[in-house]
Amino acid sequence: MIKVNHLSYAFKIGKKEKENVVPVLHDVNLQVEKGEIVAIVGRSGSGKSTLLNLISGFIQAETGTISINGTKVSGLSESKWAEFRLSHLGFIFQSFQLIPSMTAYENIELPLVLKGTNEKDRVERTKEMLKRVGLEQYQSHYPGELSGGQQQRVSIARALILNPPLILADEPTGSLDSENERELLSFIKELNENYGITFLMITHDHEVASIAHRKVEIVDGYLREGRMLREVQR
Amino acid sequence: MKFKDKHRFVRSNMKRNRTRVWMTILASTIGCAFLIMLASVGFAIHKTAVDDVMSYRLMNEIQIQKENGMITDKEVKKLEKIKDVKAVTRKKHTPANEFTLGDYMISTSVFSAHMPSEIKAGFELDRGRLPKNKNEIVVGYHFSEQFIKEAPESFYEGLSEEESQEKHKELVYKEDLIGKTLTYHLTPADNKDQNAKNLSVDVKVVGIGKKPTKKWAIVTDAYITDDLRKEVVNTLFEKNKNEGSLEEGYDDVKVYTSSAEEVKAVSEVIEKMDLLTYSVASELKELNLYFTLFKAGLIFIGGIAVLIASIGIFNTMTMAVTERSQDIGIMKAIGATPKTIKRIFLLESGYIGLWGVGLGTVLAYMISYGVNFALPIIIEQFLNEKPPEDFILSYIPWSLTVIAVTICMGVTLLSGWRPAAKATTVDVLKALRRDV
Ligand SMILES: Nc1ncnc2c1ncn2[C@@H]1O[C@H](COP(=O)(O)OP(=O)(O)O)[C@@H](O)[C@H]1O
Ligand SMILES: [Mg+2]
């Protein structure tokens, strides 16, 4: 599903003349199989988010290649990346990233709108998705009128609405209380088992055991493959 | 993303900042209305000037003159043969100009005209017929109005101007002139003190010319036959032998083409014949050039107002982009292409511009109508003067509307372009990090 080869990344800070290069990732190689849940762990500032952002296409590396689902995505133009993200990737963020001026319904519907899906399909699929995440009564609530757990469910619904084969999640439970965290993790597990959706997620160590098939650790920008935790169900 | 969805999206964004958006629309409205109003004054002056010129003469008319001497019959025949010439009217002035009937008297211009070509050129009779015999004449529509009795002594005494105008009507000949026999006095206009008063000939009015289409035009001319003119001239000539020989030629020659488009080509042919031409068409060309420059200047000045309004649009759109950079970042993260983002913001500035232009145009039409309606009344009230007929201060032809709409929309899209381009460069990570 994901193939990362010899990926290195460095942030460039400051003005052109006195540019300061901060290397963050060094020669990262990573392979994620279809149907896997892979957890990325590591200390704060080790480069986990940077790796995920590279795989998401939010930033572009100058060295190394990334392929997703058989498509070489490194080096794609900005608009090609956008199109790719829309149809292949779902995102779950720590801080939900819902559009505050849109209702829960509209936020979930947004990828369908961007895709240009017709009205009838849109209504049908959005309604169904609202039901699936248990937010039917909250469809016309704005993000500000929802609890953290509810907001995260809206954002998951939005990530799932176009049926992406891969979901990328950067500390998805980071803003949730323990009850919501458990609920979310079991939902991810269910999605993985029932629909074969692949997950690449940054998590805290203690969560990993409950759901991940495999964990990888980043230490100061170097990736270390961890051991297999459990078999992937086929 | 479908257009309908973009539209919906933009609409809801605009609604969220209603006041700001409406203020921006207001600025564009004023800018656009100002541009149209300012230019409309130029268009009105131009129109008035053109109408004025055209009201004197016809667009398909070419006046012909010779540098020295008069235009001869031979030349007239040649003129008639030129391609696209519909008619060549020629008039000879007759140096006697007084008619009487009993106490009534008129002094007017007397011509002998070639009636068939006059008819071809558009001359029409109000009533009666064209002359058949030598002593029959046709008179202009206003001839009878100037056919008046001499006022008795102290006739107008102690009367106001208006009252004396009323009183004057009592002196005017009131019966129908058709069939009446007038006395044509063969006294040259410039030779009053000669004792030739007794020389005269009787003429019969058989036709009266049609009322001229221009309200202010007054036609009192009398048209006599060629034969009568010859007789008159011979009689006068005999009395004034010392004044030199009588030239045989036409005083007033005009060429008529079928339409205004042919005037230029026909004029060129005529000029090759060593004749001088004058046509409204050629005069209008210069006039039009002058006014086109004038109008362009006004549009330029008006355009500055539009430019100022566009700064408002630029500001509003820049603020909208800044405010919504988080939304933009989220949308880009999910998979909105830069093109989609750009279109959304261009659409928003386009809507602001459209509203501004639409309202501005309507406002301009309303002001224009109001000004044209109110100004004559104001002039009459405060200056105690009647404004000129058909007076307009503001005229908005559809071409001005098109020009203004194009300028306003163009400037709007230009001013919305940069903010929209800026929106596409929003950094996804920065936007996503914002609230952490
Ligand atoms: N936009 C940026 N500009 C410069 N340096 C950055 C930027 N984002 C992150 N970094 C640096 O890159 C390193 C890795 O950051 P990050 O990938 O966010 O770590 P993690 O997610 O593992 O906590 C950190 O040292 C951080 O300071
Ligand atoms: Mg991080």
Side-chain angles (χ1 to χ4, degrees), chain A residues 11 53 58-59 78-80 82-83 85-86 89 91 93-95 97-102 106-107 109-111 113-119 122 158, chain B residues 1-2 4-6 8-9 13 16 326-328 330-340 344 424-429 431-436:
Chain A
F11 282 103
N53 289 336
F58 299 154
I59 47 179
E78 206 188 335
S79 49
K80 280 274 177 310
E83 281 164 20
R85 274 201 294 274
L86 186 60
L89 304 180
F91 295 94
F93 303 95
Q94 178 180 359
S95 47
Q97 306 295 358
L98 301 174
I99 294 182
S101 60
M102 289 184 173
E106 287 165 341
N107 266 291
E109 189 194 28
L110 186 59
V113 172
L114 289 175
K115 188 108 194 166
T117 313
N118 69 53
E119 187 104 31
R122 239 157 57 190
R158 183 182 65 187
Chain B
M1 197 171 180
K2 285 184 180 155
K4 210 176 109 195
D5 294 315
K6 283 187 197 135
R8 200 169 48 102
F9 190 75
N13 280 337
R16 264 193 289 151
Q326 200 198 348
D327 297 10
I328 297 165
I330 294 169
M331 287 177 74
K332 280 179 81 172
I334 292 172
T337 59
K339 207 163 96 187
T340 305
I344 286 171
T424 67
T425 65
V426 165
D427 187 69
V428 177
L429 287 186
L432 296 188
R433 229 185 347 251
R434 199 173 251 203
D435 59 347
V436 182

